[in-house]
Amino acid sequence: MIWRAVLLWMENQTSVIPLKQPIVFELEGFDVQPGNGPFMFLLALLAYIAVLLGNGVVICVIMTDKNLHRPMFVMICHLMVCDLLGATMVLPRLMMDLLMGLKKIAYIPAIVQAFCAHTYGAAMLTVLAAMAYDRYVAVCEPLRYLSIMTSTRLHSCCAVAWIVALLLIAVLFSFHMNVLLCGHIIPLIYCSNRGILNLACIPTPANNIYGLAMTWTLSTGTFIIIVYSYIRILTVSLKQGRTNRSIRSKAFQTCAPHIVVYVLFQIASLIVILIQRFPSLSQNMKKFFSILIFIVPPILNPIIYGLVSKDLRVSFIKRLSTRVRNQT
């Protein structure tokens, strides 16, 4: 007991000594039983391949088919890029850990991973808000759609979505400047803003306040834009659907994927937040649920758009059949 108390005191004393560059963090990762690492690596590899294939195919089909060079499909491309960003920042690093036990990560790569992971979450919301605006104009102002959603307006909406996300996250990570760190173990699967600043020698209340304010403002703002857009779309569709049911059906087909993708992302985000409130769950389960947001939406998003969007599905089948016919 005495030796344990002495060791604990020594650990507390050394924990307040600021680390000097080059700082190397150690990600705690999964607690993997001996021999299970290759199997878990294979699962992560299959998930990453599914993300690359699904999102890559959608992007390639849209880029190569001039008939799909329309605002809705251009924004779908931006959504797929966002999916690739999130999955690529987490899964390859996780696979190296599972296969080779590579848990150490230098300071700069850790900041880059955390920055991109948070940008993924912010950009998903801003791009989905831009898509809601596009669908609102398409359904509620069909005769003026081409004059409103011009090429300039389209690219401006996409640029604003990314710029807002990048600026918000850049300000969040500006709080890392001149912060002294006294620990190097991050008890997570991937690096995050909070995971790194929890190692600070002193509390960082400014980052906490800004992080909460930014998350609430971004979530609430995009939620209001999306809900308002679809309430207006629903109202117009019901009015016009009384005389022409095809209008209501077309509005549903173009808007349903967007709603499903938004709800799916919000559910994944909610799981990440709520799972930490269950102390009875094992750490491995909590870590597993924390990375679902980087796996489930990126895998399902291209499937949802591929199944619901007839134009995208027809273009893909046409190109696939042409390639098979040329090879035979």
Side-chain angles (χ1 to χ4, degrees), residues 1-13:
M1 292 294 294
I2 296 176
W3 279 108
R4 185 177 298 176
V6 172
L7 290 173
L8 182 62
W9 177 82
M10 293 177 63
E11 182 180 350
N12 289 335
Q13 291 299 309

Side-chain angles (χ1 to χ4, degrees), residues 141-322:
E141 300 286 346
L143 299 179
R144 299 175 54 219
Y145 178 69
L146 293 178
S147 62
I148 295 176
M149 193 56 69
T150 60
S151 177
T152 302
R153 178 71 61 85
L154 166 64
H155 294 301
S156 296
C157 286
C158 295
V160 167
W162 282 101
I163 290 171
V164 168
L166 288 169
L167 284 178
L168 289 175
I169 303 304
V171 173
L172 179 69
F173 277 81
S174 67
F175 291 98
H176 287 255
M177 297 175 62
N178 301 323
V179 172
L180 298 177
L181 302 177
C182 292
H184 66 278
I185 297 178
I186 301 176
L188 300 169
I189 301 296
Y190 60 93
C191 299
S192 67
N193 168 64
R194 199 64 256 157
I196 295 174
L197 285 186
N198 280 342
L199 304 176
C201 300
I202 59 174
T204 54
N207 179 272
N208 294 340
I209 294 172
Y210 174 80
L212 291 173
M214 180 205 70
T215 303
W216 185 87
T217 303
L218 183 62
S219 299
T220 304
T222 53
F223 175 78
I224 290 173
I225 293 173
I226 292 171
V227 169
Y228 173 79
S229 299
Y230 282 99
I231 288 176
R232 292 282 295 137
I233 289 170
L234 180 62
T235 304
V236 171
S237 299
L238 290 176
K239 287 182 179 179
Q240 296 180 352
R242 294 173 184 173
T243 56
N244 190 344
R245 291 186 177 181
S246 64
I247 295 178
R248 183 168 56 185
S249 176
K250 185 177 180 181
F252 174 79
Q253 288 178 358
T254 56
C255 298
H258 179 267
I259 297 174
V260 172
V261 167
Y262 175 74
V263 172
L264 181 68
F265 180 76
Q266 291 290 27
I267 291 175
S269 303
L270 191 62
I271 289 174
V272 173
I273 296 171
L274 294 180
I275 202 65
Q276 303 301 324
R277 305 294 187 270
F278 293 89
S280 59
L281 283 177
S282 66
Q283 290 299 316
N284 272 353
M285 287 299 296
K286 290 182 179 180
K287 293 171 184 175
F288 171 73
F289 281 110
S290 71
I291 62 171
L292 286 183
I293 192 172
F294 301 100
I295 299 175
V296 176
I299 289 178
L300 294 183
N301 287 351
I303 296 175
I304 292 169
Y305 280 107
L307 290 176
V308 178
S309 175
K310 182 180 177 181
D311 292 339
L312 185 59
R313 187 170 62 252
V314 168
S315 180
F316 170 71
I317 294 174
K318 180 181 178 181
R319 272 159 174 68
L320 182 63
S321 60
T322 302

Side-chain angles (χ1 to χ4, degrees), residues 37 40-49 52 87-88 90-102 189:
M40 294 184 67
F41 164 80
L42 181 61
L43 293 180
L45 177 62
L46 291 175
Y48 190 49
I49 290 174
L52 292 178
T88 301
V90 174
L91 290 179
R93 185 81 201 181
L94 174 61
M95 287 188 287
M96 288 191 290
D97 178 15
L98 294 172
L99 188 64
M100 299 179 292
L102 185 61
I189 301 296

Side-chain angles (χ1 to χ4, degrees), residues 91-150:
L91 290 179
R93 185 81 201 181
L94 174 61
M95 287 188 287
M96 288 191 290
D97 178 15
L98 294 172
L99 188 64
M100 299 179 292
L102 185 61
K103 296 181 179 295
K104 296 186 181 298
I105 180 171
Y107 180 80
I108 296 300
I111 292 293
V112 171
Q113 185 187 48
F115 183 89
C116 291
H118 286 277
T119 300
Y120 159 73
M124 278 290 289
L125 293 176
T126 54
V127 171
L128 286 171
M131 294 176 72
Y133 169 72
D134 172 67
R135 292 299 84 207
Y136 162 74
V137 176
V139 176
C140 299
E141 300 286 346
L143 299 179
R144 299 175 54 219
Y145 178 69
L146 293 178
S147 62
I148 295 176
M149 193 56 69
T150 60

